[in-house]
């Protein structure tokens, strides 16, 4: 039996190890999706405020977390 | 501490970096030290002979390391299994996203470049080719020194690195050895006996 089927079979169990492992996997998926979609929004011209509103967090929070990855366009280049 | 290392022991520490690079891994762990000890070569040390005598081969262990790394990598096999357990098909999520965002859309992002004070980019702390040792691998190297002291040896050879790996006992290397049915206390005894034979060498 593969690891995957073993885990799937244990889905109904109340084993904290199984449940918490799923939480970890979800968090990793969430973080990856967030980076992808914030980048998508920035490329589409959304402001940090727009993104913060959509995620229901403060503008500061979303800027602090993502600004280094999606730097402001350099105005001198325009 | 490195001045006491024998040539073979130094080659092992440097070799661990090569092993990590060849497997495209971004850290040097106990498993890479084990791989370096197992790699065949002209001046392998005592540990190489002791390990190959157990029937262990470099290519087998390299395959184990790849498999175990895949199981722990973010959004790798283990995450996929954990998500499946709560009814989420990671492959389906990946497929859907790649449809819109292209291949690799769900590859976990690397952390953004750190910025220093006033937003200046920090100088790269290490050279680009540098691969750091994991804390556990550092402990193994420290333990190799302690093992040499304990056995009253003036040099640190590959046998002491192996003793360090066994003493640390919880790294990937120890796990791989155990998975191959190798009894660690027994291997320690044989390593100490072999080391005693070369004490004056």
């Amino acid at each position: 039996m593969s690891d995957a089927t073993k885990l799937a079979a244990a889905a109904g169990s109340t084993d904290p190890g199984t449940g918490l492992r799923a939480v970890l996997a979800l968090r990793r998926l969430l973080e990856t999706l967030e980076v992808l979609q914030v980048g998508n929004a920035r490329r589409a011209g959304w402001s940090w405020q727009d993104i913060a509103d959509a995620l229901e967090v403060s503008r500061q929070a979303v800027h602090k977390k993502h600004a280094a990855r999606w730097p402001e366009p350099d105005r001198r280049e325009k | 501490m490195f001045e006491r290392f024998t040539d073979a022991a130094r080659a092992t520490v440097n070799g661990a970096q090569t092993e990590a690079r060849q497997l495209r891994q971004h850290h040097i762990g106990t498993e890479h030290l084990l791989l370096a000890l197992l790699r065949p070569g002209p001046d392998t040390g005592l540990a190489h002979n002791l390990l190959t005598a157990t029937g262990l081969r470099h290519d087998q262990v390299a395959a184990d390391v790849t498999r175990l790394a895949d199981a722990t990598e973010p959004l790798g096999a283990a995450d996929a299994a954990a998500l499946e357990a709560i009814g989420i098909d990671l492959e389906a999520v990946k497929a859907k996203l790649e449809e819109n965002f292209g291949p690799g859309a769900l590859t976990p992002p690397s952390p953004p470049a750190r910025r220093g004070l006033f937003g200046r980019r920090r100088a790269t702390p290490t050279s680009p080719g540098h691969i750091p040792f994991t804390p556990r691998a550092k402990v193994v190297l420290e333990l190799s020194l302690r093992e040499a002291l304990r056995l009253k040896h003036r040099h640190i050879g590959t046998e002491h690195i192996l003793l360090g790996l066994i003493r640390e006992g919880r790294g990937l290397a120890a796990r791989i050895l155990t998975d191959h049915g190798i009894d660690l206390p027994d291997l320690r005894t044989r390593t100490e006996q072999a080391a005693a034979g070369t004490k004056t060498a």
Side-chain angles (χ1 to χ4, degrees):
Chain A
M1 198 156 64
S2 77
D3 283 352
T5 43
K6 243 184 267 172
L7 260 173
S13 85
T14 51
D15 173 25
T18 309
L20 292 171
R21 187 62 188 80
V23 173
L24 169 64
L26 266 179
R27 187 185 302 134
R28 285 173 170 172
L29 180 59
L30 164 73
E31 291 295 328
T32 308
L33 273 178
E34 184 175 318
V35 169
L36 178 73
Q37 290 297 357
V38 167
N40 185 38
R42 290 296 290 170
R43 279 190 299 272
W46 283 41
S47 70
W48 291 113
Q49 189 61 60
D50 297 337
I51 295 168
D53 289 345
L55 291 175
E56 298 187 3
V57 294
S58 72
R59 192 189 65 82
Q60 286 82 359
V62 76
H63 187 266
K64 188 177 177 196
K65 187 166 174 187
H66 294 283
R69 206 184 297 275
W70 301 103
E72 302 291 332
D74 192 333
R75 289 198 190 90
R76 284 168 297 184
E77 284 172 15
K78 285 188 178 171
Chain B
M1 142 176 167
F2 276 97
E3 62 279 3
R4 290 217 206 166
F5 273 57
T6 63
D7 289 347
R10 274 171 213 246
T12 301
V13 176
N14 292 328
Q17 180 164 328
T18 313
E19 301 290 342
R21 188 166 292 140
Q22 284 187 356
L23 295 174
R24 296 172 188 279
Q25 291 170 346
H26 306 293
H27 63 272
I28 303 170
T30 60
E31 66 275 26
H32 302 112
L33 286 168
L34 177 62
L35 279 170
L37 289 173
L38 276 166
R39 185 172 282 275
D43 339 287
T44 51
L46 211 50
H48 178 82
N49 302 336
L50 286 157
L51 285 168
T52 46
T54 66
L56 213 56
R57 288 200 328 266
H58 182 277
D59 56 341
Q60 281 176 337
V61 174
D64 289 343
V65 171
T66 307
R67 184 173 47 79
L68 291 169
D70 183 54
T72 53
E73 113 188 76
L75 299 184
D79 280 335
L83 289 170
E84 193 182 321
I86 55 169
I88 297 174
D89 183 350
L90 185 59
E91 280 311 308
V93 176
K94 263 186 194 169
K96 199 77 198 164
L97 288 166
E98 291 191 350
E99 212 175 279
N100 295 331
F101 293 97
L106 211 55
T107 307
S110 51
R114 301 213 330 179
R115 279 171 182 255
L117 214 53
F118 309 120
R120 278 176 305 167
R121 294 233 176 252
R122 284 187 192 196
T124 320
T126 47
S127 59
H130 179 86
I131 307 176
F133 279 86
T134 61
R136 226 185 260 284
K138 284 183 192 165
V139 167
V140 167
L141 294 178
E142 283 161 22
L143 285 172
S144 68
L145 170 70
R146 266 200 243 170
E147 290 291 321
L149 291 173
R150 183 176 65 85
L151 298 169
K152 299 192 167 47
H153 294 171
R154 299 176 63 86
H155 68 281
I156 301 169
T158 60
E159 63 275 24
H160 302 108
I161 297 179
L162 179 56
L163 287 172
L165 280 173
I166 297 169
R167 176 78 60 190
E168 199 282 329
R170 287 180 306 169
L172 219 46
R175 174 165 165 195
I176 290 169
L177 290 172
T178 315
D179 283 353
H180 281 276
I182 295 166
D183 181 54
L184 294 185
D186 177 59
L187 182 61
R188 176 175 17 227
T189 309
R190 276 183 289 124
T191 306
E192 285 177 359
Q193 282 167 355
T198 60
K199 193 174 167 181
T200 51

